[in-house]
Amino acid sequence: MNIVLRELKAHRKSLIAWSVGMVFLILAGMTKYSGFANSGQSANDLFKGLPGLAAAFGIESVDLTQAIGFYSVLFLYILVMTAIHGSLLGAEIISKEEQEKTAEFLFSKPVTRTQVVTSKLFAALVNLLALNLVTLVASVIMVGAYNTGESVTPVILLLMVGLFFVQLIFLSIGIAAAGISKKPKLAAPVATGLLLAAFFLSLWLDITKKYPGLKYLTPFKYFEGRVIINHNSLDPLYVAISLGIVAVMLLAAYLRYNSRDLSV
Amino acid sequence: MMNMLIHELRQNQKATIIWTLSLVAGAALYLSIFPAFVTEADTLRKMLEGFPPTFRKAFGVTLESFATVAGFYSMILSYIMLAGSIQAMNLGTSIVSKEERGKTAEFLLTKPVRRSQILTAKLLAAFISLLVTNVVYLVAVPLIINAMAGAIIDIKTFLLLSFTLFFVQLFFLGLGFLVSAWASRIRSVLAVSLTTVFGFYIAGALDSIIGNTAIRYLTPFKYFDFAYIVKNSSYELQFVLIEVIVVILTIITSYYVYVKRDIRST
């Protein structure tokens, strides 16, 4: 419990900075929309008639002139930002003891390694949840302000659930990188390297339809804004895959961290 | 001076190799889908012609450059530029700040070198690392275009387009260098560099959807309009000037700040 409180305190500043950044991103994004909405013609009809064309550009039948449609584009960047937050948090929270030479001190206390990882995981989850809630509130307010049709709150809630799964995936990747690697310095670069690879793969998949199977490799394709908005539900397959990734990553992290030599 | 330069180059060696290979491999991956893209292109082109300009703008695509090898390359270059900017920003942000983070600043500063010399050596090393990446890229990618995309790109157009990668990298190198020289302790280089680069990228991406031109002055990702370059075989002078001024300002400020400030030794 002490470790949880300590970690929460240690990450308070960074959480506040991330929250402010997230609110700013949503605020700036939706303010841009207000300029767009006024000038926008009904691109909607054109989009609907030509799913093939739109898909070629990665904007599969979503009406950009609607507040929620524009938000779906913004949502990709929200995913990326929270993914960066999650992977760095996961990598740092575990590797910092070794990197800052506090591991010896920590493990001279009567705690097991499993307890330490569990406490840190718990503190990280609180951080993820807080950032998710901030995103939720900012999104509901900002999209709601420009929305003219029916309420968008339910679909934003759904998007936030998807967002949370992506956060969890990258947090667990970060924790696994730090838990497994004997070089604490490598944890953050490896975790963010995977993140960037996944991001560029998803951009690549947007312009080619040749290898649809590859979309299982990138979490950025699991919970796409436009798909969730159109179907009004999360794909259970992707929820299952996400949970699977998280379970495997955490298991690997626990097993390896329990047995390996710490770098001191 | 020379020792520091060589030391830094050696430290950056691995990262530079990994980044260079990743950028070239990324370019190859994106270029490999060009043949499939071009077969669909003609139909798409005919469809697009019937639509109002506002609609086309929503996609950020212009008719002239669409589905030619130069047009396709322009599209993917913006992704490569995003990756390259992360490389440059990482490099700039870490190269000075690592001394304080790794508690080696004290050791370095007791050597008979001026602080400005330290900065010069580090800046030069970072510059050379980026130069190497770009030279390899400029040699490899035309060959890849030829081999994988089965097309030949006009070499002048290719060079004009690809030099922008280096220019934008210099922007982020300068910015990272400034942050690095200024901040007394950066806990996580990646947190600083990734959020900054993506911040600029998102600002540019959202504004190109709505066709706002004011943002072009603010984000380096929009200093170079690829469609303009392909069409006119030249850059827009005012943005080149902004770029040069920003880079010079960040570097001068870095020296000014670093020479004076307290260096943490604990």
Coordinates of all heavy atoms in Angstrom, one line a residue, chain B residues 10-58:
Chain B
R10 N 30.2 7.9 -31.5 CA 30.2 6.5 -31.2 C 28.9 6.2 -30.4 O 28.3 5.1 -30.6 CB 31.4 6.2 -30.4 CG 31.9 4.8 -30.7 CD 33.3 4.6 -30.1 NE 34.3 4.8 -31.1 CZ 35.6 5.1 -30.8 NH1 36.0 5.3 -29.5 NH2 36.5 5.2 -31.7
Q11 N 28.6 7.1 -29.5 CA 27.4 6.8 -28.6 C 26.1 6.8 -29.5 O 25.2 6.0 -29.2 CB 27.3 7.9 -27.6 CG 28.3 7.8 -26.5 CD 27.7 8.1 -25.2 OE1 27.0 9.1 -25.0 NE2 27.9 7.2 -24.2
N12 N 26.1 7.6 -30.5 CA 24.9 7.7 -31.3 C 24.8 6.6 -32.4 O 23.8 6.4 -33.1 CB 24.8 9.1 -32.0 CG 24.5 10.2 -31.1 OD1 24.0 9.9 -30.0 ND2 24.9 11.4 -31.4
Q13 N 26.0 6.0 -32.6 CA 26.1 5.1 -33.7 C 25.0 4.1 -33.9 O 24.3 4.0 -34.9 CB 27.4 4.3 -33.5 CG 28.0 3.6 -34.7 CD 29.3 3.0 -34.4 OE1 29.5 2.5 -33.3 NE2 30.2 3.0 -35.3
K14 N 24.7 3.4 -32.8 CA 23.7 2.3 -32.8 C 22.3 2.9 -33.2 O 21.6 2.4 -34.1 CB 23.6 1.6 -31.4 CG 23.6 0.1 -31.5 CD 23.5 -0.4 -30.1 CE 23.6 -1.8 -30.0 NZ 23.7 -2.2 -28.5
A15 N 21.9 4.0 -32.5 CA 20.6 4.6 -32.7 C 20.5 5.1 -34.1 O 19.5 4.9 -34.8 CB 20.4 5.7 -31.7
T16 N 21.6 5.7 -34.6 CA 21.6 6.2 -36.0 C 21.4 5.0 -37.0 O 20.6 5.2 -37.9 CB 22.9 6.9 -36.3 OG1 23.1 7.9 -35.3 CG2 22.8 7.6 -37.7
I17 N 22.1 3.9 -36.8 CA 21.9 2.8 -37.7 C 20.5 2.3 -37.6 O 19.9 2.1 -38.7 CB 22.9 1.7 -37.3 CG1 24.4 2.2 -37.6 CG2 22.6 0.4 -38.1 CD1 25.4 1.2 -37.2
I18 N 20.0 2.1 -36.4 CA 18.6 1.6 -36.3 C 17.6 2.5 -37.0 O 16.7 2.1 -37.8 CB 18.2 1.4 -34.8 CG1 19.1 0.2 -34.2 CG2 16.7 1.1 -34.7 CD1 18.8 0.0 -32.8
W19 N 17.7 3.8 -36.7 CA 16.8 4.8 -37.3 C 16.9 4.8 -38.8 O 15.9 4.8 -39.5 CB 17.0 6.2 -36.8 CG 16.3 6.4 -35.5 CD1 16.7 6.5 -34.2 CD2 14.8 6.7 -35.4 NE1 15.7 6.7 -33.4 CE2 14.5 6.9 -34.0 CE3 13.8 6.7 -36.3 CZ2 13.3 7.1 -33.6 CZ3 12.5 7.0 -35.9 CH2 12.3 7.2 -34.5
T20 N 18.2 4.8 -39.3 CA 18.3 4.8 -40.8 C 17.7 3.6 -41.5 O 16.9 3.8 -42.4 CB 19.8 4.9 -41.1 OG1 20.4 5.9 -40.4 CG2 20.1 5.1 -42.6
L21 N 18.0 2.4 -40.9 CA 17.4 1.2 -41.5 C 15.9 1.3 -41.4 O 15.2 0.9 -42.3 CB 17.9 0.0 -40.7 CG 19.4 -0.3 -41.0 CD1 19.8 -1.6 -40.2 CD2 19.7 -0.5 -42.5
S22 N 15.3 1.7 -40.2 CA 13.9 1.8 -40.1 C 13.2 2.7 -41.1 O 12.2 2.4 -41.7 CB 13.5 2.2 -38.7 OG 14.2 1.5 -37.7
L23 N 13.9 3.9 -41.3 CA 13.3 4.8 -42.3 C 13.3 4.2 -43.7 O 12.3 4.3 -44.4 CB 14.1 6.2 -42.3 CG 13.9 7.1 -41.1 CD1 14.6 8.4 -41.2 CD2 12.4 7.4 -40.8
V24 N 14.4 3.6 -44.1 CA 14.5 3.1 -45.4 C 13.5 1.9 -45.5 O 12.8 1.8 -46.5 CB 15.9 2.6 -45.7 CG1 16.0 1.9 -47.1 CG2 16.8 3.9 -45.8
A25 N 13.5 1.0 -44.5 CA 12.6 -0.1 -44.6 C 11.1 0.4 -44.6 O 10.3 -0.2 -45.3 CB 12.8 -1.0 -43.3
G26 N 10.8 1.4 -43.8 CA 9.5 2.0 -43.8 C 9.1 2.5 -45.2 O 8.0 2.2 -45.7
A27 N 10.0 3.2 -45.8 CA 9.8 3.7 -47.2 C 9.5 2.6 -48.1 O 8.6 2.6 -48.9 CB 11.0 4.6 -47.6
A28 N 10.3 1.5 -48.0 CA 10.1 0.3 -48.9 C 8.8 -0.3 -48.7 O 8.1 -0.6 -49.6 CB 11.2 -0.7 -48.6
L29 N 8.4 -0.4 -47.4 CA 7.1 -1.0 -47.1 C 5.9 -0.2 -47.7 O 5.0 -0.7 -48.4 CB 6.9 -1.0 -45.6 CG 5.6 -1.7 -45.1 CD1 5.6 -3.2 -45.3 CD2 5.4 -1.4 -43.6
Y30 N 6.0 1.1 -47.6 CA 5.0 2.0 -48.2 C 5.0 2.0 -49.7 O 4.0 1.9 -50.3 CB 5.1 3.4 -47.6 CG 4.5 3.6 -46.3 CD1 5.3 3.7 -45.1 CD2 3.1 3.7 -46.1 CE1 4.8 3.9 -43.9 CE2 2.6 3.8 -44.8 CZ 3.5 4.0 -43.7 OH 2.9 4.1 -42.5
L31 N 6.2 2.0 -50.2 CA 6.3 2.0 -51.7 C 5.9 0.7 -52.4 O 5.4 0.7 -53.5 CB 7.8 2.3 -52.1 CG 8.2 3.8 -51.9 CD1 9.7 4.0 -52.0 CD2 7.5 4.7 -53.0
S32 N 6.0 -0.4 -51.6 CA 5.6 -1.7 -52.2 C 4.1 -1.7 -52.6 O 3.8 -2.6 -53.4 CB 5.9 -2.8 -51.2 OG 5.0 -2.7 -50.1
I33 N 3.3 -0.9 -52.0 CA 1.9 -1.0 -52.4 C 1.5 0.0 -53.6 O 0.4 0.0 -54.0 CB 1.0 -0.7 -51.2 CG1 1.3 0.6 -50.6 CG2 1.0 -1.8 -50.2 CD1 0.4 1.0 -49.4
F34 N 2.6 0.7 -54.1 CA 2.3 1.6 -55.2 C 1.7 0.9 -56.4 O 0.7 1.4 -56.9 CB 3.6 2.4 -55.6 CG 3.3 3.3 -56.7 CD1 2.6 4.4 -56.5 CD2 3.9 3.1 -57.9 CE1 2.4 5.3 -57.6 CE2 3.7 4.0 -59.0 CZ 2.9 5.1 -58.8
P35 N 2.2 -0.2 -56.9 CA 1.6 -0.8 -58.1 C 0.1 -1.1 -57.9 O -0.7 -0.8 -58.8 CB 2.3 -2.1 -58.3 CG 3.6 -1.9 -57.6 CD 3.3 -1.0 -56.4
A36 N -0.3 -1.6 -56.7 CA -1.7 -1.9 -56.5 C -2.5 -0.6 -56.5 O -3.6 -0.5 -57.0 CB -1.9 -2.7 -55.2
F37 N -1.9 0.4 -55.9 CA -2.5 1.7 -55.8 C -2.8 2.3 -57.1 O -3.9 2.9 -57.4 CB -1.6 2.6 -54.9 CG -2.3 3.9 -54.5 CD1 -3.1 3.9 -53.3 CD2 -2.1 5.0 -55.2 CE1 -3.7 5.0 -52.9 CE2 -2.7 6.2 -54.7 CZ -3.5 6.2 -53.6
V38 N -1.9 2.2 -58.0 CA -2.0 2.9 -59.3 C -3.0 2.2 -60.2 O -3.7 2.9 -61.0 CB -0.6 2.9 -60.0 CG1 -0.3 1.7 -60.8 CG2 -0.5 4.2 -60.8
T39 N -3.3 0.9 -60.0 CA -4.3 0.3 -60.9 C -5.7 0.8 -60.5 O -6.6 1.0 -61.3 CB -4.3 -1.2 -60.8 OG1 -4.3 -1.6 -59.4 CG2 -3.1 -1.8 -61.5
E40 N -5.9 1.1 -59.2 CA -7.2 1.6 -58.8 C -7.3 3.1 -59.1 O -8.4 3.6 -59.1 CB -7.3 1.5 -57.2 CG -7.5 0.0 -56.8 CD -7.5 0.0 -55.3 OE1 -8.4 0.7 -54.7 OE2 -6.7 -0.6 -54.7
A41 N -6.1 3.7 -59.3 CA -6.1 5.2 -59.3 C -6.9 5.8 -60.4 O -7.6 6.8 -60.3 CB -4.6 5.6 -59.5
D42 N -6.9 5.1 -61.6 CA -7.6 5.7 -62.7 C -9.1 5.8 -62.5 O -9.7 6.9 -62.8 CB -7.3 4.9 -64.0 CG -6.0 5.4 -64.7 OD1 -5.6 6.5 -64.4 OD2 -5.4 4.6 -65.4
T43 N -9.6 4.8 -62.0 CA -11.1 4.8 -61.6 C -11.3 5.9 -60.6 O -12.3 6.7 -60.7 CB -11.5 3.5 -61.1 OG1 -10.4 2.7 -60.7 CG2 -12.4 2.7 -62.1
L44 N -10.5 5.9 -59.6 CA -10.6 6.9 -58.5 C -10.6 8.3 -59.1 O -11.3 9.2 -58.7 CB -9.6 6.7 -57.4 CG -9.7 5.5 -56.6 CD1 -8.5 5.3 -55.7 CD2 -10.9 5.6 -55.7
R45 N -9.6 8.5 -60.0 CA -9.4 9.8 -60.5 C -10.6 10.3 -61.3 O -11.1 11.4 -61.1 CB -8.2 9.7 -61.5 CG -7.7 11.0 -62.0 CD -6.8 10.7 -63.2 NE -6.2 11.9 -63.8 CZ -5.0 12.3 -63.4 NH1 -4.3 11.7 -62.5 NH2 -4.5 13.4 -64.0
K46 N -11.2 9.4 -62.0 CA -12.4 9.8 -62.8 C -13.6 10.1 -61.8 O -14.3 11.1 -62.0 CB -12.8 8.7 -63.7 CG -12.0 8.6 -64.9 CD -12.5 7.6 -66.0 CE -11.5 7.4 -67.1 NZ -10.7 6.2 -67.0
M47 N -13.7 9.3 -60.8 CA -14.7 9.6 -59.8 C -14.5 11.0 -59.1 O -15.4 11.8 -59.0 CB -14.7 8.6 -58.6 CG -15.3 7.2 -59.0 SD -14.7 6.0 -57.8 CE -16.2 5.3 -57.3
L48 N -13.2 11.2 -58.8 CA -12.9 12.5 -58.1 C -13.2 13.7 -58.9 O -13.6 14.7 -58.3 CB -11.4 12.5 -57.7 CG -11.1 11.8 -56.3 CD1 -9.6 11.9 -56.1 CD2 -11.7 12.6 -55.2
E49 N -13.0 13.6 -60.2 CA -13.2 14.8 -61.0 C -14.6 15.4 -61.0 O -14.8 16.6 -61.1 CB -12.8 14.4 -62.5 CG -11.3 14.7 -62.8 CD -10.9 14.1 -64.1 OE1 -11.7 13.4 -64.8 OE2 -9.7 14.2 -64.4
G50 N -15.5 14.5 -60.6 CA -16.9 15.0 -60.6 C -17.2 15.7 -59.3 O -18.3 16.3 -59.2
F51 N -16.3 15.7 -58.4 CA -16.7 16.3 -57.1 C -16.3 17.7 -56.9 O -15.3 18.2 -57.5 CB -16.1 15.4 -55.9 CG -16.6 14.0 -55.9 CD1 -15.7 13.0 -55.7 CD2 -17.9 13.8 -56.1 CE1 -16.2 11.7 -55.7 CE2 -18.4 12.5 -56.1 CZ -17.6 11.4 -55.9
P52 N -17.0 18.4 -56.1 CA -16.6 19.8 -55.8 C -15.2 19.9 -55.1 O -14.8 19.0 -54.4 CB -17.7 20.4 -54.9 CG -18.3 19.1 -54.3 CD -18.2 18.1 -55.3
P53 N -14.5 21.0 -55.3 CA -13.2 21.2 -54.7 C -13.1 21.0 -53.2 O -12.2 20.4 -52.6 CB -12.8 22.6 -55.1 CG -13.6 23.0 -56.2 CD -14.9 22.2 -56.1
T54 N -14.2 21.5 -52.5 CA -14.2 21.3 -51.0 C -14.1 19.9 -50.6 O -13.4 19.5 -49.6 CB -15.5 21.9 -50.4 OG1 -16.4 22.1 -51.5 CG2 -15.3 23.1 -49.5
F55 N -14.7 19.1 -51.4 CA -14.8 17.6 -51.0 C -13.4 17.1 -51.2 O -12.9 16.3 -50.4 CB -15.7 16.9 -52.0 CG -15.8 15.4 -51.8 CD1 -16.3 14.9 -50.7 CD2 -15.2 14.6 -52.8 CE1 -16.3 13.5 -50.5 CE2 -15.2 13.3 -52.6 CZ -15.8 12.7 -51.5
R56 N -12.7 17.4 -52.3 CA -11.4 16.9 -52.5 C -10.4 17.4 -51.4 O -9.5 16.7 -51.0 CB -10.8 17.4 -53.9 CG -11.2 16.5 -55.0 CD -10.6 17.0 -56.3 NE -11.6 17.5 -57.2 CZ -11.5 18.5 -57.9 NH1 -10.4 19.2 -57.9 NH2 -12.5 18.9 -58.7
K57 N -10.6 18.6 -51.0 CA -9.8 19.2 -50.0 C -9.9 18.4 -48.7 O -8.9 18.3 -47.9 CB -10.1 20.7 -49.8 CG -9.0 21.5 -49.2 CD -9.2 23.0 -49.4 CE -10.4 23.5 -48.6 NZ -10.7 24.9 -48.9
A58 N -11.1 17.9 -48.4 CA -11.3 17.1 -47.2 C -10.4 15.9 -47.2 O -10.1 15.4 -46.1 CB -12.8 16.7 -47.2

